[in-house]
Amino acid sequence: MLDKDDHVIYVGKAKNLKKRVSSYFRANIPESKTRALVKNIHQIEVTLTNTETEALLLENNLIKQYMPRYNILLRDDKSYPYILVTEHRHPRIAFHRGSRKQKGDYFGPFPSSGAVSESLRLMQKIFPVRQCEDAYYRARSRPCLQYQLKRCSAPCVDKVSDEEYQQEVQFVKLFLSGKSSQVIAALVDKMEKASLALNFELAAKIRDQILLLRKMQEQQSVSGNFAEMDVIGYQTKNGLTAVHLLMIRDHKILGSNTFFPKIPKDSIDDEILSSFIAQYYLSVGRSSRIAKEIILPFAIADTEVLNAAISQVADKKVHLKAVQRGERAEYLELANKNALNSILTKQSAQDSINKRYAALKSALALDEINRMECFDISHTMGENTVASCVVFDGQGPNKKEYRRYNVKGITGGDDYAAMAFALKKRYGKMTDVTKVPDVVFIDGGKGQLSQAEHFFSTWTLEKQPLLVGVAKGVSRKAGLETLLIDAGRKTINLSADSIALHLIQHIRDESHRFAIAGHRNKRQKQRNQSVLEEIPNVGQKRRQAILKFLGGMQGVLGASISQLEKVPGISQELAEKIFNHLHDKS
């Protein structure tokens, strides 16, 4: 369903299309959500599918693509954390989030990044497989500290044979697949062989691995017999809905996470839970480890079609169960309790945010503050200058709206010019009044604030933000900030314990953190960038050919013009250019 501007506002599926669409156009519609939807429908587009499962998968994909305002949306659902075991001569295990472009085996999804970090920490103790970045691994000429701590077998400097290392990697994969008992059996067999061969040092090392694995099993084992299942808790209270996911794998509680779906008014529980299950499980991908059983807090209408669709995605039979007794019921009670606790915690935090906003409105003499933005500049001695803009709305930080700007065309170290550049980038082409903030904070004194005053002096939109400079005190200690308004002619000093000041410090510190992170990333990228990338007419293929032919960057730097000429695809003229460029740099 589309509105008059051709924006998708709702995506749905139906066995009987005529019956489903007709239900929206009755004389009396009790649900306010449906009435609001129908009021905005301008056009309906229809796609036919062969099966209900195909319809469900298509619906999920379209919701992901268009994020329709009248659908239930699972926020932060585009990227779940995984553990990646790469495809290398010496594979590494690493935290992964995002698209799966890198070759390797992906294990997950995990309920939270904390669960991934805990699993990586445990594996580092048990399996001496590297977790370092590839660039660090390639640059090693001697073992690092992880080798000394016996947390890596140092394949980078051949302290372990390829066969032994691959065996450890295989153990990691089995462990991540929930087959720790199989790993222990293989290690016991390996220990016995080492002992019979009188290799007692190796046998003792394997014994320690086995003890660690068994200790971990004892610490994390549950009393029941359920090896693999997901338990979904569900609670609604004071206008908030929480869905808590408890994950059990190989008789261990792997972790848990609470989701707060974005829900249109008057949505029913059945619709909310069905949408959550579809959007979560149909997004994780075939290579993910979806549980064989998914325990539901109550029965839902779409159980059969969801069963079929999730089974198709998981490439195995998956069962959604709403009838719980015994241990399943105990787990469900725990999940429901966590969901309720998450709502209470979120509401408590929201109450604190509301009080801070109310105090800030009073301090700045504003009737309403729905959106605030803050700018900061970061650089090192004028190089790699990055400007940040962070956004706070009624819920606090809105990280999806954060922006960074690579500052160009200014004198290095000129913070005033950098601020002017960032403001022009942010607001220069803005036409949507709803995106105009009520308050713009500038991290800095009168000079930075004057740049904002100058920019907004020619502002043409109806809404005009209040410009506030946040100047640090002489000692630069938190609590001594001075607020500058009206080009610095008016100043406000809030007490150190003021909750309004705490909110300002929060947005200021967040903009500072975001700017520094962007600056560091830019600086690191520049450091990692090959000097060959700066040479005209030397593209990626030629760079690879040069490095491969001359044995790396050290060989390139030591090569003469005649040696560079011998590289396939490098002419005498280009060889001279490369040589001159490299030696001018040095």
Side-chain angles (χ1 to χ4, degrees), residues 504-562:
I504 293 169
Q505 289 169 340
H506 188 183
I507 192 170
R508 188 270 315 277
D509 293 345
E510 186 70 355
S511 69
H512 189 58
R513 177 199 65 78
F514 196 57
I516 287 176
H519 165 66
R520 285 176 178 166
N521 291 339
K522 187 177 179 182
R523 186 176 62 191
Q524 189 62 40
K525 184 178 179 182
Q526 188 181 60
R527 285 177 179 172
N528 293 339
Q529 187 180 44
S530 168
V531 290
L532 292 174
E533 292 183 38
E534 301 172 4
I535 306 173
N537 301 322
V538 179
Q540 184 180 358
K541 289 184 178 179
R542 281 178 172 164
R543 288 198 301 271
Q544 289 174 347
I546 292 168
L547 291 167
K548 188 175 180 180
F549 189 86
L550 295 170
M553 201 61 209
Q554 291 298 321
V556 176
L557 291 171
S560 64
I561 294 174
S562 59

Side-chain angles (χ1 to χ4, degrees), residues 295-491:
I295 307 302
L296 307 181
F298 49 82
I300 54 176
D302 286 340
T303 300
E304 288 185 16
V305 66
L306 282 168
N307 254 329
I310 296 170
S311 297
Q312 182 176 312
V313 168
D315 202 21
K316 65 181 179 185
K317 192 67 178 174
V318 176
H319 299 280
L320 273 68
K321 297 183 177 180
V323 180
Q324 301 86 31
R325 286 184 294 272
E327 290 170 15
R328 288 191 182 93
E330 290 176 16
Y331 280 124
L332 181 59
E333 184 182 356
L334 178 63
N336 284 331
K337 191 179 292 184
N338 274 283
L340 179 59
N341 184 61
S342 296
I343 288 177
L344 296 175
T345 302
K346 188 177 179 69
Q347 287 179 334
S348 176
Q350 187 60 48
D351 289 343
S352 175
I353 289 172
N354 291 341
K355 287 177 183 177
R356 290 184 176 191
Y357 269 78
L360 184 60
K361 282 189 287 186
S362 176
L364 299 178
L366 291 175
D367 296 328
E368 202 64 53
I369 299 179
N370 295 312
R371 184 184 179 98
M372 303 186 296
E373 298 187 0
C374 185
F375 289 82
D376 192 21
I377 307 296
S378 182
H379 58 80
T380 300
M381 303 295 287
E383 293 186 353
N384 301 314
T385 304
V386 171
S388 71
C389 172
V390 302
V391 179
F392 276 39
D393 57 22
Q395 307 298 316
N398 186 346
K399 295 191 176 182
K400 289 183 179 179
E401 297 276 351
Y402 285 17
R403 295 293 182 271
R404 288 194 190 104
Y405 305 104
N406 291 320
V407 180
K408 301 173 184 176
I410 67 163
T411 304
D414 188 346
D415 286 356
Y416 299 162
M419 185 61 70
F421 179 93
L423 291 164
K424 186 177 180 181
K425 274 284 187 181
R426 179 66 174 170
Y427 304 116
K429 296 181 180 178
M430 184 172 284
T431 55
D432 187 356
V433 179
T434 61
K435 293 288 185 180
V436 178
D438 299 292
V439 185
V440 173
F441 289 103
I442 306 295
D443 187 13
K446 291 183 180 180
Q448 285 91 338
L449 182 61
S450 67
Q451 295 296 327
E453 295 277 358
H454 177 72
F455 175 82
F456 281 101
S457 64
T458 57
W459 187 246
T460 56
L461 293 184
E462 184 181 349
K463 186 176 179 181
Q464 179 84 23
L466 176 66
L467 305 176
V468 181
V470 184
K472 299 180 179 70
V474 177
S475 61
R476 302 179 71 85
K477 287 185 179 178
L480 300 178
E481 293 88 351
T482 299
L483 306 184
L484 308 175
I485 301 174
D486 192 17
R489 288 185 288 274
K490 179 182 177 183
T491 61

Side-chain angles (χ1 to χ4, degrees), residues 230-236 241-245 269-270 272-274 276-277 281 294-300 303 320-324 328-329 331-333 335-337 339:
D230 286 352
V231 184
I232 298 175
Y234 182 91
Q235 291 287 346
T236 59
T241 297
V243 182
H244 186 82
L245 179 64
D269 292 340
D270 184 291
I272 295 167
L273 187 59
S274 296
F276 170 82
I277 292 168
Y281 287 102
I294 300 171
I295 307 302
L296 307 181
F298 49 82
I300 54 176
T303 300
L320 273 68
K321 297 183 177 180
V323 180
Q324 301 86 31
R328 288 191 182 93
Y331 280 124
L332 181 59
E333 184 182 356
N336 284 331
K337 191 179 292 184

